[in-house]
Amino acid sequence: MIEVKNISKQFNGTTILSNVTNSFEKGKVNLIIGGSGSGKTVLMKCMVGLYDVDNGSISFDGREFSGLTKKERKSIRSEIGMLFQGSALFDSMNVEENVMFPLTMLSEMQEEEKKERVNFCLNRVDLKNVNHLFPAEISGGMKKRVAIARAMAMNPKYLFCDEPNSGLDPKTSIIIDELIKEITYEYDMTTVINTHDMNSVLMMGDNIIFIYKGEKHWSGSAKDILNSGNNELEEFVFASKVMQDLRKQMRTN
């Protein structure tokens, strides 16, 4: 479990996060949602240590994180897998080298062990015989799966995903959602996803936090959204006609 307690963050005197408290549960898909500029991306970056909080605390399974030095954070960071928006693969490295990168940086594995781990992770995301291809030679969906394999490489306790469906078609987005959900349950990880994709919210949100103007405005599950009574949340989630029709269908069922 990851816990954030009363965290606040300012940039140049402007408050981006104000007194946010939330628990992100182990073995669950935890989603952070909110409009552009709401503070949700800053919240995730604070949680992984890219930004230091001005006030409050962040802990991983009871281990204080926010007050540690960069060197002291290394042990917890080695337990974190990160799936970046746009996949963020290294263009100069082939698939195998990309997935192996965190093992080389953070583990003491021998070369053969690293290759075995890479192949295991690639097989788990249903990618075979692509080890020596470069990012420019594979599709967007395949890049996402390579990025997930890289995030899995260190067998993380915590998985952070920043807009995992960005740039993908609807069919591929569903495949990526299902894959993230499967590995979350399979490996009992604490998964935290920052997303704009409302299909993802409704289909895989075990726990959801809605950030509005830098504050925690609502929390609950995907099912709870239908009867949240929160005007700002419902306006955000059901902004499009497609989502409005889906809400009517779900309420009917």
Side-chain angles (χ1 to χ4, degrees), residues 90-104:
F90 297 107
D91 292 335
S92 60
M93 296 182 181
N94 63 29
V95 167
E96 181 175 287
E97 291 166 337
N98 266 284
V99 179
M100 192 179 291
F101 182 77
L103 299 173
T104 301

Side-chain angles (χ1 to χ4, degrees), residues 3 5 15 21 36 41 54 59 61 104 112 123 125-126 132 138 140 175 188-189 205 222:
E3 294 181 283
K5 295 182 180 179
T15 298
T21 296
S36 297
T41 300
D54 296 329
S59 63
D61 291 313
T104 301
E112 195 59 36
N123 287 338
V125 300
D126 199 24
H132 301 297
I138 60 179
I175 292 171
D188 200 27
M189 295 186 296

Side-chain angles (χ1 to χ4, degrees), residues 8-242:
S8 298
K9 181 64 180 177
Q10 291 187 345
F11 290 105
N12 300 319
T14 300
T15 298
I16 307 300
L17 293 174
S18 179
N19 202 37
V20 175
T21 296
N22 197 69
S23 296
F24 300 85
E25 296 185 27
K26 181 181 180 183
K28 299 287 183 65
V29 179
N30 302 272
L31 302 183
I32 304 172
I33 65 173
S36 297
S38 62
K40 67 182 186 301
T41 300
V42 172
L43 173 58
M44 176 173 281
K45 288 183 175 181
C46 288
M47 290 174 68
V48 298
L50 294 177
Y51 293 148
D52 291 325
V53 298
D54 296 329
N55 297 294
S57 65
I58 300 167
S59 63
F60 288 74
D61 291 313
R63 297 171 294 171
E64 173 62 32
F65 180 73
S66 48
L68 300 178
T69 65
K70 289 184 178 180
K71 185 176 181 180
E72 291 169 334
R73 290 177 178 178
K74 186 175 180 180
S75 63
I76 294 179
R77 278 189 169 144
S78 68
E79 300 172 355
I80 294 174
M82 188 78 198
L83 177 60
F84 297 96
Q85 185 175 358
S87 303
L89 301 179
F90 297 107
D91 292 335
S92 60
M93 296 182 181
N94 63 29
V95 167
E96 181 175 287
E97 291 166 337
N98 266 284
V99 179
M100 192 179 291
F101 182 77
L103 299 173
T104 301
M105 294 294 294
L106 299 170
S107 81
E108 297 180 358
M109 287 184 181
Q110 299 300 311
E111 196 68 17
E112 195 59 36
E113 291 179 288
K114 288 190 289 186
K115 287 186 177 181
E116 287 180 8
R117 180 62 185 170
V118 167
N119 286 327
F120 172 85
C121 292
L122 288 173
N123 287 338
R124 181 60 190 81
V125 300
D126 199 24
L127 286 177
K128 298 179 181 179
N129 303 318
V130 299
N131 295 50
H132 301 297
L133 296 179
F134 285 83
E137 300 176 295
I138 60 179
S139 68
M142 291 173 71
K143 288 177 184 177
K144 288 288 185 179
R145 284 189 279 162
V146 172
I148 292 172
R150 183 176 63 184
M152 291 172 55
M154 289 290 292
N155 195 22
K157 292 182 179 180
Y158 318 100
L159 177 63
F160 288 86
C161 306
D162 184 21
E163 297 287 356
N165 292 333
S166 176
L168 299 180
D169 63 79
K171 183 177 180 179
T172 305
S173 294
I174 292 171
I175 292 171
I176 297 301
D177 281 349
E178 289 296 328
L179 179 57
I180 292 172
K181 186 164 64 173
E182 285 174 9
I183 64 174
T184 295
Y185 299 159
E186 185 175 336
Y187 299 108
D188 200 27
M189 295 186 296
T190 303
T191 295
V192 181
I193 301 175
N194 180 359
T195 185
H196 278 106
D197 190 327
M198 291 305 105
N199 286 314
S200 299
V201 171
L202 295 177
M203 301 306 170
M204 65 185 297
D206 294 324
N207 294 308
I208 303 166
I209 175 174
F210 174 54
I211 302 296
Y212 182 73
K213 294 183 178 180
E215 298 181 352
K216 177 181 174 179
H217 206 54
W218 179 88
S219 63
S221 69
K223 292 181 180 179
D224 297 331
I225 286 178
L226 295 174
N227 300 295
S228 70
N230 187 301
N231 292 332
E232 290 78 13
L233 173 65
E234 294 195 2
E235 285 177 8
F236 174 72
V237 173
F238 301 106
S240 71
K241 185 178 185 304
V242 172

